[in-house]
Protein backbone atom coordinates (compact mmCIF):
# COMPACT_ATOMS: atom_id res chain seq x y z
CA UNK A 1 0.00 0.00 0.00
CA UNK A 2 1.42 3.32 -1.02
CA UNK A 3 1.28 6.47 1.12
CA UNK A 4 -0.98 9.36 -0.01
CA UNK A 5 1.63 11.93 0.90
CA UNK A 6 5.05 12.33 -0.65
CA UNK A 7 8.26 13.61 0.83
CA UNK A 8 9.78 17.00 -0.20
CA UNK A 9 12.59 15.22 -2.07
CA UNK A 10 10.06 13.22 -4.11
CA UNK A 11 8.12 16.44 -4.96
CA UNK A 12 11.29 18.03 -6.24
CA UNK A 13 12.10 15.00 -8.47
CA UNK A 14 8.54 15.00 -9.83
CA UNK A 15 8.73 18.74 -10.72
CA UNK A 16 12.15 18.23 -12.32
CA UNK A 17 10.69 15.61 -14.74
CA UNK A 18 7.38 17.39 -15.38
CA UNK A 19 8.74 20.87 -16.18
CA UNK A 20 11.62 22.08 -18.31
CA UNK A 21 14.57 23.77 -16.59
CA UNK A 22 13.32 27.37 -17.21
CA UNK A 23 9.82 26.83 -15.80
CA UNK A 24 10.86 25.02 -12.64
CA UNK A 25 11.00 28.20 -10.46
CA UNK A 26 7.59 29.39 -11.70
CA UNK A 27 6.04 26.03 -10.87
CA UNK A 28 7.47 26.15 -7.34
CA UNK A 29 6.06 29.68 -6.93
CA UNK A 30 2.59 28.62 -8.09
CA UNK A 31 2.63 25.74 -5.67
CA UNK A 32 3.69 28.02 -2.80
CA UNK A 33 0.86 30.47 -3.36
CA UNK A 34 -1.82 27.91 -4.14
CA UNK A 35 -4.90 28.36 -2.00
CA UNK A 36 -5.63 25.61 0.49
CA UNK A 37 -8.80 25.43 2.57
CA UNK A 38 -7.22 24.18 5.75
CA UNK A 39 -4.63 27.04 5.74
CA UNK A 40 -6.20 30.00 3.95
CA UNK A 41 -9.80 29.48 5.02
CA UNK A 42 -9.05 30.94 8.45
CA UNK A 43 -7.65 34.25 7.06
CA UNK A 44 -9.83 37.38 7.30
CA UNK A 45 -9.94 40.19 4.74
CA UNK A 46 -9.08 40.31 1.09
CA UNK A 47 -5.99 38.43 -0.01
CA UNK A 48 -3.67 39.92 -2.65
CA UNK A 49 -1.54 38.26 -5.26
CA UNK A 50 2.20 38.26 -4.76
CA UNK A 51 2.70 41.10 -7.28
CA UNK A 52 0.16 43.29 -5.49
CA UNK A 53 1.68 42.62 -2.10
CA UNK A 54 5.15 43.56 -3.37
CA UNK A 55 3.97 46.75 -5.12
CA UNK A 56 4.25 50.28 -3.62
CA UNK A 57 1.09 51.19 -1.75
CA UNK A 58 -0.09 54.79 -1.63
CA UNK A 59 -1.17 56.03 1.79
CA UNK A 60 -4.13 58.39 1.56
CA UNK A 61 -4.16 61.76 3.29
CA UNK A 62 -0.41 62.45 3.38
CA UNK A 63 -0.08 64.60 0.25
CA UNK A 64 1.01 68.24 0.82
CA UNK A 65 0.38 69.32 -2.75
CA UNK A 66 -0.75 72.98 -2.80
CA UNK A 67 -3.96 73.73 -4.65
CA UNK A 68 -4.00 77.50 -5.10
CA UNK A 69 -1.67 80.51 -5.07
CA UNK A 70 -2.90 81.89 -1.74
CA UNK A 71 -1.83 78.71 0.00
CA UNK A 72 1.63 78.99 -1.58
CA UNK A 73 1.99 82.55 -0.27
CA UNK A 74 0.89 81.46 3.19
CA UNK A 75 3.44 78.65 3.25
CA UNK A 76 6.25 81.01 2.26
CA UNK A 77 5.29 83.79 4.70
CA UNK A 78 4.21 81.74 7.70
CA UNK A 79 4.42 83.93 10.78
CA UNK A 80 5.79 82.75 14.09
CA UNK A 81 2.95 82.37 16.61
CA UNK A 82 3.86 83.91 19.97
CA UNK A 83 2.49 84.44 23.46
CA UNK A 84 3.68 87.46 25.45
CA UNK A 85 4.37 87.40 29.17
CA UNK A 86 5.32 90.30 31.44
CA UNK A 87 6.06 90.88 35.12
CA UNK A 88 4.42 93.95 36.70
CA UNK A 89 6.68 95.11 39.50
CA UNK A 90 6.17 98.91 39.73
CA UNK A 91 3.78 101.53 38.42
CA UNK A 92 0.10 101.21 37.62
CA UNK A 93 -1.76 98.48 35.78
CA UNK A 94 -2.03 100.84 32.79
CA UNK A 95 1.76 101.14 32.70
CA UNK A 96 2.09 97.36 32.60
CA UNK A 97 -0.49 97.13 29.80
CA UNK A 98 1.33 99.82 27.79
CA UNK A 99 4.62 97.97 28.18
CA UNK A 100 3.08 94.72 26.93
CA UNK A 101 1.40 96.58 24.05
CA UNK A 102 4.81 97.93 23.02
CA UNK A 103 6.21 94.39 23.21
CA UNK A 104 3.38 93.26 20.90
CA UNK A 105 4.32 96.01 18.42
CA UNK A 106 7.95 94.86 18.55
CA UNK A 107 6.90 91.25 17.95
CA UNK A 108 4.78 92.24 14.95
CA UNK A 109 7.66 94.29 13.56
CA UNK A 110 9.89 91.21 13.86
CA UNK A 111 7.36 89.19 11.84
CA UNK A 112 5.39 87.34 14.52
CA UNK A 113 1.68 86.76 15.06
CA UNK A 114 0.70 87.68 18.63
CA UNK A 115 -1.91 85.24 19.97
CA UNK A 116 -2.17 86.20 23.63
CA UNK A 117 -0.49 88.18 26.42
CA UNK A 118 -0.41 87.64 30.18
CA UNK A 119 0.98 89.70 33.08
CA UNK A 120 2.12 88.42 36.48
CA UNK A 121 2.02 90.79 39.50
CA UNK A 122 5.18 90.29 41.57
CA UNK A 123 7.53 92.33 43.72
CA UNK A 124 10.43 91.18 41.51
CA UNK A 125 10.90 88.57 38.77
CA UNK A 126 11.37 85.00 39.96
CA UNK A 127 15.04 84.01 39.97
CA UNK A 128 14.30 80.58 38.49
CA UNK A 129 11.48 80.88 35.93
CA UNK A 130 10.87 84.68 35.74
CA UNK A 131 7.16 84.30 36.64
CA UNK A 132 7.25 81.56 39.26
CA UNK A 133 6.80 77.80 38.91
CA UNK A 134 3.00 77.82 39.30
CA UNK A 135 2.43 80.59 36.80
CA UNK A 136 4.87 78.88 34.42
CA UNK A 137 2.56 75.83 34.41
CA UNK A 138 -0.40 78.12 33.71
CA UNK A 139 1.59 79.67 30.87
CA UNK A 140 2.17 76.16 29.52
CA UNK A 141 -1.64 75.69 29.39
CA UNK A 142 -2.00 78.99 27.50
CA UNK A 143 0.63 77.87 24.98
CA UNK A 144 -1.16 74.57 24.42
CA UNK A 145 -4.55 76.27 24.10
CA UNK A 146 -3.39 78.84 21.55
CA UNK A 147 -1.02 76.59 19.60
CA UNK A 148 1.91 79.01 20.01
CA UNK A 149 5.46 78.01 19.18
CA UNK A 150 7.31 80.83 21.01
CA UNK A 151 7.05 82.72 24.31
CA UNK A 152 8.41 86.29 24.49
CA UNK A 153 9.17 87.75 27.93
CA UNK A 154 8.98 91.51 28.54
CA UNK A 155 12.38 91.80 30.18
CA UNK A 156 15.93 90.52 29.96
CA UNK A 157 16.18 86.95 31.21
CA UNK A 158 19.28 85.30 32.62
CA UNK A 159 20.55 82.13 30.92
CA UNK A 160 19.22 80.06 33.80
CA UNK A 161 15.74 81.59 33.59
CA UNK A 162 15.61 80.92 29.84
CA UNK A 163 16.54 77.26 30.27
CA UNK A 164 14.16 76.55 33.17
CA UNK A 165 11.20 78.36 31.60
CA UNK A 166 11.74 76.45 28.34
CA UNK A 167 11.77 73.18 30.31
CA UNK A 168 8.32 74.01 31.70
CA UNK A 169 6.50 75.47 28.66
CA UNK A 170 8.19 73.08 26.16
CA UNK A 171 8.50 75.75 23.44
CA UNK A 172 11.17 78.29 22.52
CA UNK A 173 11.52 81.22 24.95
CA UNK A 174 13.16 84.55 24.07
CA UNK A 175 13.35 87.85 25.94
CA UNK A 176 12.88 91.48 24.97
CA UNK A 177 16.59 91.96 24.24
CA UNK A 178 16.73 89.06 21.76
CA UNK A 179 13.60 90.40 20.05
CA UNK A 180 15.06 93.89 19.57
CA UNK A 181 18.33 92.40 18.32
CA UNK A 182 16.37 90.39 15.77
CA UNK A 183 14.60 93.54 14.52
CA UNK A 184 17.91 95.37 14.24
CA UNK A 185 19.39 92.46 12.27
CA UNK A 186 16.47 92.60 9.83
CA UNK A 187 16.64 96.36 9.26
CA UNK A 188 20.39 97.01 9.19
CA UNK A 189 21.41 97.86 5.62
CA UNK A 190 24.82 99.57 5.71
CA UNK A 191 28.10 97.77 6.38
CA UNK A 192 28.55 99.62 9.66
CA UNK A 193 25.00 98.92 10.81
CA UNK A 194 25.36 95.21 10.12
CA UNK A 195 28.68 95.10 11.97
CA UNK A 196 27.22 96.88 15.00
CA UNK A 197 24.24 94.52 15.15
CA UNK A 198 26.48 91.46 14.77
CA UNK A 199 28.66 92.67 17.66
CA UNK A 200 25.61 93.21 19.89
CA UNK A 201 24.26 89.75 19.03
CA UNK A 202 27.54 88.06 19.90
CA UNK A 203 27.74 89.97 23.20
CA UNK A 204 24.24 88.73 24.01
CA UNK A 205 24.90 85.15 22.88
CA UNK A 206 28.25 84.60 24.62
CA UNK A 207 26.94 83.91 28.17
CA UNK A 208 23.95 81.97 26.79
CA UNK A 209 25.78 79.27 24.87
CA UNK A 210 24.55 75.82 25.80
CA UNK A 211 26.13 72.43 25.27
CA UNK A 212 25.27 68.79 25.79
CA UNK A 213 26.78 65.42 24.96
CA UNK A 214 30.15 65.77 23.29
CA UNK A 215 29.97 69.57 23.63
CA UNK A 216 30.71 69.17 27.35
CA UNK A 217 33.43 66.52 27.02
CA UNK A 218 37.10 67.39 26.88
CA UNK A 219 38.94 67.42 23.59
CA UNK A 220 41.96 65.18 23.24
CA UNK A 221 45.35 66.66 24.03
CA UNK A 222 47.76 68.06 21.52
CA UNK A 223 50.19 65.26 20.69
CA UNK A 224 51.88 65.53 17.30
CA UNK A 225 50.49 62.42 15.64
CA UNK A 226 50.97 60.37 18.81
CA UNK A 227 48.53 59.00 21.34
CA UNK A 228 47.52 62.45 22.66
CA UNK A 229 48.70 61.88 26.19
CA UNK A 230 49.18 65.51 27.20
CA UNK A 231 45.95 65.64 29.15
CA UNK A 232 42.42 66.91 28.46
CA UNK A 233 41.95 69.98 26.27
CA UNK A 234 39.14 72.51 26.20
CA UNK A 235 35.53 71.46 25.74
CA UNK A 236 33.60 72.11 22.55
CA UNK A 237 31.60 74.89 24.21
CA UNK A 238 34.82 76.55 25.39
CA UNK A 239 36.08 76.43 21.81
CA UNK A 240 32.88 78.13 20.64
CA UNK A 241 33.24 80.85 23.26
CA UNK A 242 36.85 81.48 22.29
CA UNK A 243 35.91 81.80 18.62
CA UNK A 244 33.09 84.21 19.46
CA UNK A 245 35.50 86.37 21.47
CA UNK A 246 37.90 86.41 18.52
CA UNK A 247 35.09 87.46 16.17
CA UNK A 248 34.02 90.18 18.61
CA UNK A 249 37.55 91.57 18.75
CA UNK A 250 37.71 91.61 14.95
CA UNK A 251 34.29 93.31 14.74
CA UNK A 252 35.35 96.00 17.22
CA UNK A 253 38.43 96.76 15.10
CA UNK A 254 36.28 97.09 11.96
CA UNK A 255 33.82 99.40 13.71
CA UNK A 256 36.71 101.51 15.03
CA UNK A 257 38.01 101.89 11.47
CA UNK A 258 34.55 102.99 10.26
CA UNK A 259 34.37 105.40 13.17
CA UNK A 260 37.61 107.00 11.99
CA UNK A 261 36.08 107.75 8.59
CA UNK A 262 33.04 109.37 10.14
CA UNK A 263 35.23 111.37 12.51
CA UNK A 264 37.17 112.78 9.54
CA UNK A 265 33.90 113.99 8.02
CA UNK A 266 32.92 115.57 11.32
CA UNK A 267 36.29 117.35 11.57
CA UNK A 268 35.77 118.71 8.06
CA UNK A 269 32.41 120.16 9.11
CA UNK A 270 33.98 121.65 12.24
CA UNK A 271 36.79 123.16 10.18
CA UNK A 272 34.23 124.81 7.91
CA UNK A 273 32.28 125.98 11.00
CA UNK A 274 29.08 124.26 9.82
CA UNK A 275 26.62 123.85 12.73
CA UNK A 276 25.05 120.42 13.19
CA UNK A 277 21.58 119.45 14.36
CA UNK A 278 20.78 115.86 15.48
CA UNK A 279 17.28 114.38 15.34
CA UNK A 280 16.79 112.00 18.27
CA UNK A 281 13.67 110.40 19.64
CA UNK A 282 11.62 107.33 20.35
CA UNK A 283 11.25 104.76 17.62
CA UNK A 284 8.34 105.38 15.24
CA UNK A 285 7.97 108.97 16.48
CA UNK A 286 8.44 110.33 12.94
CA UNK A 287 12.13 111.28 12.84
CA UNK A 288 12.67 110.17 9.24
CA UNK A 289 9.45 111.90 8.12
CA UNK A 290 10.65 115.12 9.72
CA UNK A 291 14.08 114.79 8.05
CA UNK A 292 12.41 114.29 4.65
CA UNK A 293 10.19 117.34 5.21
CA UNK A 294 13.06 119.61 6.20
CA UNK A 295 15.66 118.45 3.65
CA UNK A 296 13.97 116.24 1.05
CA UNK A 297 16.34 113.42 2.00
CA UNK A 298 14.12 110.62 0.72
CA UNK A 299 14.77 108.37 3.72
CA UNK A 300 12.56 105.30 4.13
CA UNK A 301 9.39 106.12 6.07
CA UNK A 302 7.34 103.24 7.46
CA UNK A 303 4.85 102.81 10.28
CA UNK A 304 7.07 100.28 12.05
CA UNK A 305 9.48 100.23 14.96
CA UNK A 306 13.14 100.70 14.01
CA UNK A 307 12.32 101.03 10.29
CA UNK A 308 15.58 102.97 9.77
CA UNK A 309 18.80 102.20 11.65
CA UNK A 310 21.57 103.72 9.56
CA UNK A 311 22.32 107.39 10.37
CA UNK A 312 21.63 109.87 7.60
CA UNK A 313 23.28 113.33 7.41
CA UNK A 314 21.82 115.94 5.07
CA UNK A 315 22.58 119.57 4.32
CA UNK A 316 19.95 122.14 5.24
CA UNK A 317 19.53 125.90 5.30
CA UNK A 318 17.83 128.22 7.77
CA UNK A 319 15.36 130.90 6.64
CA UNK A 320 18.19 133.41 7.14
CA UNK A 321 20.45 131.53 4.72
CA UNK A 322 22.75 129.82 7.23
CA UNK A 323 23.92 126.33 6.32
CA UNK A 324 23.80 123.49 8.82
CA UNK A 325 23.70 119.69 8.80
CA UNK A 326 20.71 117.62 9.94
CA UNK A 327 21.47 114.06 11.16
CA UNK A 328 18.84 111.35 11.64
CA UNK A 329 19.86 108.84 14.34
CA UNK A 330 18.66 105.41 15.39
CA UNK A 331 15.40 105.32 17.34
CA UNK A 332 15.35 104.59 21.06
CA UNK A 333 12.98 102.45 23.09
CA UNK A 334 12.33 101.72 26.75
CA UNK A 335 14.86 99.32 28.25
CA UNK A 336 17.08 99.55 25.17
CA UNK A 337 19.58 96.69 25.55
CA UNK A 338 22.97 97.79 26.82
CA UNK A 339 24.56 95.62 24.11
CA UNK A 340 22.97 97.87 21.50
CA UNK A 341 23.88 101.10 23.28
CA UNK A 342 27.49 99.95 23.41
CA UNK A 343 27.57 98.67 19.81
CA UNK A 344 25.86 101.79 18.40
CA UNK A 345 27.86 104.19 20.54
CA UNK A 346 29.89 105.39 17.54
CA UNK A 347 26.66 106.13 15.66
CA UNK A 348 25.10 107.86 18.65
CA UNK A 349 28.11 110.15 18.91
CA UNK A 350 26.36 112.24 16.25
CA UNK A 351 24.05 113.32 19.07
CA UNK A 352 26.87 114.19 21.47
CA UNK A 353 28.84 116.19 18.87
CA UNK A 354 25.86 118.19 17.61
CA UNK A 355 25.12 121.84 18.43
CA UNK A 356 21.39 121.23 18.85
CA UNK A 357 19.15 118.21 19.46
CA UNK A 358 15.66 117.98 17.97
CA UNK A 359 14.00 115.60 20.43
CA UNK A 360 11.04 114.16 18.49
CA UNK A 361 8.19 112.67 20.50
CA UNK A 362 4.96 111.05 19.29
CA UNK A 363 2.15 113.38 20.37
CA UNK A 364 -0.50 110.73 19.59
CA UNK A 365 1.03 108.25 22.07
CA UNK A 366 -1.05 107.63 25.22
CA UNK A 367 1.88 108.50 27.54
CA UNK A 368 4.46 110.60 25.62
CA UNK A 369 6.21 111.54 28.88
CA UNK A 370 7.52 107.96 29.13
CA UNK A 371 9.02 108.27 25.66
CA UNK A 372 10.74 111.51 26.63
CA UNK A 373 12.20 109.92 29.77
CA UNK A 374 13.45 106.82 27.90
CA UNK A 375 15.20 108.89 25.21
CA UNK A 376 16.80 111.23 27.73
CA UNK A 377 18.17 108.24 29.62
CA UNK A 378 19.99 107.03 26.48
CA UNK A 379 21.18 110.58 25.70
CA UNK A 380 22.63 110.68 29.21
CA UNK A 381 24.40 107.35 28.62
CA UNK A 382 26.16 108.66 25.49
CA UNK A 383 27.24 111.85 27.30
CA UNK A 384 25.15 114.43 25.42
CA UNK A 385 23.40 116.06 28.36
CA UNK A 386 25.09 119.45 27.72
CA UNK A 387 23.68 119.88 24.20
CA UNK A 388 20.70 122.29 23.88
CA UNK A 389 17.41 120.50 23.19
CA UNK A 390 14.16 121.40 21.41
CA UNK A 391 11.23 119.03 22.04
CA UNK A 392 9.38 118.53 18.74
CA UNK A 393 5.90 117.11 19.40
CA UNK A 394 5.16 115.33 16.12
CA UNK A 395 1.84 113.97 14.81
CA UNK A 396 0.01 117.00 16.19
CA UNK A 397 -2.79 116.44 13.67
CA UNK A 398 -3.62 113.08 15.29
CA UNK A 399 -2.85 113.96 18.93
CA UNK A 400 -5.25 114.66 21.75
CA UNK A 401 -5.44 118.47 22.23
CA UNK A 402 -5.26 118.04 26.00
CA UNK A 403 -2.05 115.99 25.69
CA UNK A 404 -0.53 118.66 23.43
CA UNK A 405 -1.40 121.41 25.89
CA UNK A 406 0.09 119.42 28.75
CA UNK A 407 3.35 118.78 26.90
CA UNK A 408 3.70 122.37 25.70
CA UNK A 409 3.13 123.58 29.25
CA UNK A 410 5.61 121.17 30.88
CA UNK A 411 8.35 121.35 28.21
CA UNK A 412 9.40 125.01 28.03
CA UNK A 413 11.43 124.65 24.80
CA UNK A 414 8.90 122.73 22.71
CA UNK A 415 6.84 123.09 19.54
CA UNK A 416 3.98 121.05 18.03
CA UNK A 417 4.35 120.02 14.37
CA UNK A 418 3.05 117.49 11.88
CA UNK A 419 5.56 116.04 9.43
CA UNK A 420 2.67 114.58 7.42
CA UNK A 421 0.72 117.80 6.86
CA UNK A 422 3.53 120.35 7.29
CA UNK A 423 1.88 122.03 10.29
CA UNK A 424 4.34 124.11 12.33
CA UNK A 425 7.41 123.39 10.19
CA UNK A 426 8.05 127.06 9.36
CA UNK A 427 7.99 127.91 13.06
CA UNK A 428 10.35 124.99 13.71
CA UNK A 429 12.86 126.26 11.11
CA UNK A 430 12.75 129.73 12.66
CA UNK A 431 13.33 128.22 16.10
CA UNK A 432 16.32 126.24 14.79
CA UNK A 433 17.74 129.46 13.34
CA UNK A 434 17.42 131.17 16.71
CA UNK A 435 18.89 128.29 18.71
CA UNK A 436 21.93 127.49 16.55
CA UNK A 437 25.17 128.99 17.86
CA UNK A 438 26.01 132.25 16.14
CA UNK A 439 29.47 133.53 15.14
CA UNK A 440 30.98 135.79 17.77
CA UNK A 441 32.40 138.69 15.67
CA UNK A 442 30.33 141.22 13.75
CA UNK A 443 32.28 142.99 11.01
CA UNK A 444 31.66 145.24 7.99
CA UNK A 445 34.05 145.04 5.02
CA UNK A 446 34.36 146.21 1.41
CA UNK A 447 35.70 143.12 -0.33
CA UNK A 448 37.21 143.57 -3.82
CA UNK A 449 35.71 141.46 -6.56
CA UNK A 450 39.06 139.71 -6.93
CA UNK A 451 38.55 138.28 -3.41
CA UNK A 452 35.16 136.72 -4.10
CA UNK A 453 36.12 133.60 -2.18
CA UNK A 454 35.95 135.61 1.07
CA UNK A 455 32.36 136.58 0.28
CA UNK A 456 31.54 132.93 -0.42
CA UNK A 457 33.08 131.90 2.91
CA UNK A 458 31.06 134.59 4.67
CA UNK A 459 27.87 133.06 3.27
CA UNK A 460 28.94 129.51 4.13
CA UNK A 461 30.57 129.94 7.52
CA UNK A 462 28.90 133.06 8.88
CA UNK A 463 25.66 135.00 8.94
CA UNK A 464 25.30 137.75 6.32
CA UNK A 465 23.37 140.69 7.79
CA UNK A 466 23.51 142.91 4.69
CA UNK A 467 25.16 142.82 1.27
CA UNK A 468 25.59 145.54 -1.39
CA UNK A 469 27.49 145.51 -4.69
CA UNK A 470 29.39 148.75 -5.37
CA UNK A 471 31.87 149.89 -7.98
CA UNK A 472 34.82 149.11 -5.69
CA UNK A 473 33.60 145.69 -4.54
CA UNK A 474 31.06 143.93 -2.31
CA UNK A 475 30.07 145.77 0.85
CA UNK A 476 28.99 143.20 3.37
CA UNK A 477 28.06 143.27 7.01
CA UNK A 478 28.45 139.82 8.54
CA UNK A 479 28.71 137.96 11.81
CA UNK A 480 31.58 135.47 11.55
CA UNK A 481 34.00 133.49 13.67
CA UNK A 482 37.39 134.91 14.68
CA UNK A 483 39.40 133.16 11.94
CA UNK A 484 37.32 134.57 9.08
CA UNK A 485 37.15 137.97 10.81
CA UNK A 486 40.95 138.11 10.69
CA UNK A 487 40.89 137.40 6.92
CA UNK A 488 38.31 140.15 6.37
CA UNK A 489 40.09 142.68 8.61
CA UNK A 490 42.29 144.21 5.81
CA UNK A 491 39.11 145.31 3.97
CA UNK A 492 37.33 147.02 6.84
CA UNK A 493 36.81 150.83 6.67
CA UNK A 494 39.36 151.38 9.47
CA UNK A 495 42.03 149.40 7.60
CA UNK A 496 41.46 151.12 4.24
CA UNK A 497 41.27 154.67 5.70
Amino acid sequence: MTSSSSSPSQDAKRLAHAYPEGLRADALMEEDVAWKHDIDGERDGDQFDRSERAALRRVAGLSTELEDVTEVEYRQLRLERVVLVGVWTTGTAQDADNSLAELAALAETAGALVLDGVIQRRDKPDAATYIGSGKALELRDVVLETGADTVICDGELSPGQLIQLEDVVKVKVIDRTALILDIFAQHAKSREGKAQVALAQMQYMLPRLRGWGQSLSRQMGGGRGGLATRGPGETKIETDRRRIREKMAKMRREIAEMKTGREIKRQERRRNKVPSVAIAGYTNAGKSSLLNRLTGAGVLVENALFATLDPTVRRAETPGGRLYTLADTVGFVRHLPHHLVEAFRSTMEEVGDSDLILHVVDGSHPVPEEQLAAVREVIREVGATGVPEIVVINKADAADPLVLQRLLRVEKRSIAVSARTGLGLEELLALIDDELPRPSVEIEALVPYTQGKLVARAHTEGEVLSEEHTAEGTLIKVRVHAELAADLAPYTPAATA
Side-chain angles (χ1 to χ4, degrees):
M1 185 175 179
T2 60
S3 174
S4 59
S5 61
S6 59
S7 64
S9 59
Q10 292 174 341
D11 290 340
K13 293 178 180 178
R14 178 175 55 82
L15 290 172
H17 288 91
Y19 293 93
E21 185 70 24
L23 300 178
R24 194 175 303 162
D26 294 337
L28 287 172
M29 181 187 298
E30 290 174 1
E31 187 178 73
D32 288 345
V33 300
W35 188 87
K36 295 182 180 180
H37 183 274
D38 56 346
I39 298 176
D40 299 320
E42 303 298 328
R43 296 177 180 169
D44 55 349
D46 296 333
Q47 307 303 316
F48 298 99
D49 292 337
R50 177 184 288 271
S51 59
E52 294 181 9
R53 286 184 299 182
L56 293 176
R57 184 168 59 91
R58 187 178 299 277
V59 180
L62 297 184
S63 174
T64 58
E65 184 178 0
L66 305 178
E67 297 181 356
D68 58 355
V69 177
T70 58
E71 195 173 352
V72 174
E73 292 176 352
Y74 173 76
R75 284 280 297 271
Q76 291 178 346
L77 302 176
R78 181 183 179 277
L79 300 178
E80 200 165 359
R81 300 162 63 86
V82 303
V83 170
L84 311 179
V85 56
V87 173
W88 170 24
T89 56
T90 58
T92 63
Q94 185 62 41
D95 295 337
D97 292 345
N98 291 337
S99 181
L100 208 65
E102 183 178 88
L103 185 68
L106 288 168
E108 291 173 0
T109 302
L113 179 63
V114 179
L115 303 178
D116 204 351
V118 294
I119 295 177
Q120 161 71 349
R121 182 72 171 95
R122 298 179 64 92
D123 294 334
K124 61 180 180 179
D126 183 65
T129 59
Y130 183 66
I131 55 175
S133 57
K135 296 302 179 183
L137 293 174
E138 293 182 22
L139 178 62
R140 169 63 177 163
D141 295 337
V142 174
V143 169
L144 289 174
E145 181 182 348
T146 57
D149 48 33
T150 304
V151 171
I152 303 179
C153 298
D154 190 16
E156 184 168 349
L157 272 62
S158 67
Q161 288 174 323
L162 278 172
I163 295 172
Q164 295 192 49
L165 190 57
E166 277 187 353
D167 289 341
V168 176
V169 299
K170 306 301 181 184
V171 296
K172 180 174 65 175
V173 177
I174 64 174
D175 56 11
R176 182 187 181 95
T177 301
L179 179 62
I180 294 177
L181 286 171
D182 182 69
I183 296 174
F184 272 55
Q186 292 180 38
H187 291 175
K189 297 292 184 282
S190 69
R191 178 168 169 260
E192 183 173 11
K194 291 178 180 178
Q196 289 168 330
V197 173
L199 176 61
Q201 286 179 320
M202 285 187 285
Q203 287 176 330
Y204 174 80
M205 186 184 5
L206 184 61
R208 291 170 174 81
L209 282 181
R210 292 188 239 170
W212 53 85
Q214 292 186 353
S215 297
L216 297 177
S217 62
R218 296 287 175 181
Q219 306 293 315
M220 294 299 293
R224 185 183 294 272
L227 297 178
T229 57
R230 297 189 182 182
E234 60 188 353
T235 63
K236 176 68 167 57
I237 196 170
E238 289 171 347
T239 305
D240 293 341
R241 286 175 179 155
R242 175 169 52 80
R243 288 175 177 169
I244 288 178
R245 291 190 187 98
E246 291 172 355
K247 288 182 180 179
M248 288 170 58
K250 179 181 177 182
M251 206 70 68
R252 287 193 180 98
R253 288 194 297 270
E254 292 179 358
I255 293 174
E257 292 173 0
M258 301 177 202
K259 176 184 175 181
T260 303
R262 193 170 52 252
E263 181 64 28
I264 291 173
K265 295 178 182 178
R266 268 202 293 263
Q267 289 177 358
E268 185 69 15
R269 292 199 295 267
R270 292 195 200 103
R271 189 177 65 81
N272 292 327
K273 308 298 181 183
V274 179
S276 62
V277 178
I279 301 178
Y282 213 76
T283 178
N284 206 30
K287 299 183 299 301
S288 298
S289 300
L290 185 63
L291 178 69
N292 290 342
R293 271 284 185 174
L294 295 178
T295 65
V299 177
L300 170 69
V301 173
E302 187 178 350
N303 185 22
L305 305 184
F306 302 112
T308 51
L309 294 182
D310 304 318
T312 304
V313 181
R314 289 293 182 269
R315 181 174 174 174
E317 189 173 330
T318 65
R322 299 175 61 198
L323 293 177
Y324 65 97
T325 59
L326 201 60
D328 183 17
T329 61
V330 64
F332 303 144
V333 72
R334 275 183 300 182
H335 312 300
L336 189 67
H338 292 287
H339 310 297
L340 283 173
V341 175
E342 185 63 30
F344 278 78
R345 183 172 296 276
S346 58
T347 301
M348 294 176 182
E349 286 176 357
E350 293 285 352
V351 178
D353 290 342
S354 62
D355 298 301
L356 180 66
I357 296 176
L358 296 185
H359 185 164
V360 183
V361 61
D362 184 0
S364 62
H365 191 271
V367 192
E369 290 86 355
E370 293 184 359
Q371 293 190 353
L372 289 169
V375 174
R376 283 170 176 160
E377 181 181 354
V378 180
I379 289 176
R380 187 165 51 251
E381 288 185 25
V382 298
T385 52
V387 182
E389 175 191 66
I390 296 177
V391 176
V392 181
I393 308 169
N394 194 21
K395 306 182 184 180
D397 55 326
D400 186 349
L402 294 178
V403 175
L404 285 180
Q405 292 176 11
R406 185 176 76 238
L407 285 175
L408 291 172
R409 183 176 64 253
V410 173
E411 300 292 338
K412 303 304 179 184
R413 295 156 57 88
S414 60
I415 183 172
V417 303
S418 173
R420 186 174 67 87
T421 64
L423 173 69
L425 291 184
E426 292 184 3
E427 292 82 354
L428 175 60
L429 287 171
L431 188 58
I432 292 174
D433 195 5
D434 294 338
E435 293 293 334
L436 282 177
R438 296 184 175 276
S440 56
V441 181
E442 185 173 320
I443 191 171
E444 183 177 1
L446 180 62
V447 183
Y449 290 118
T450 57
Q451 298 294 325
K453 61 180 180 181
L454 290 177
V455 179
R457 283 182 60 191
H459 280 276
T460 304
E461 304 174 18
E463 182 180 1
V464 178
L465 304 178
S466 64
E467 183 177 13
E468 181 183 355
H469 297 286
T470 65
E472 292 80 13
T474 304
L475 181 63
I476 57 172
K477 185 177 182 181
V478 294
R479 186 178 289 114
V480 294
H481 52 84
E483 183 181 347
L484 182 54
D487 294 338
L488 290 172
Y491 308 105
T492 59
T496 56

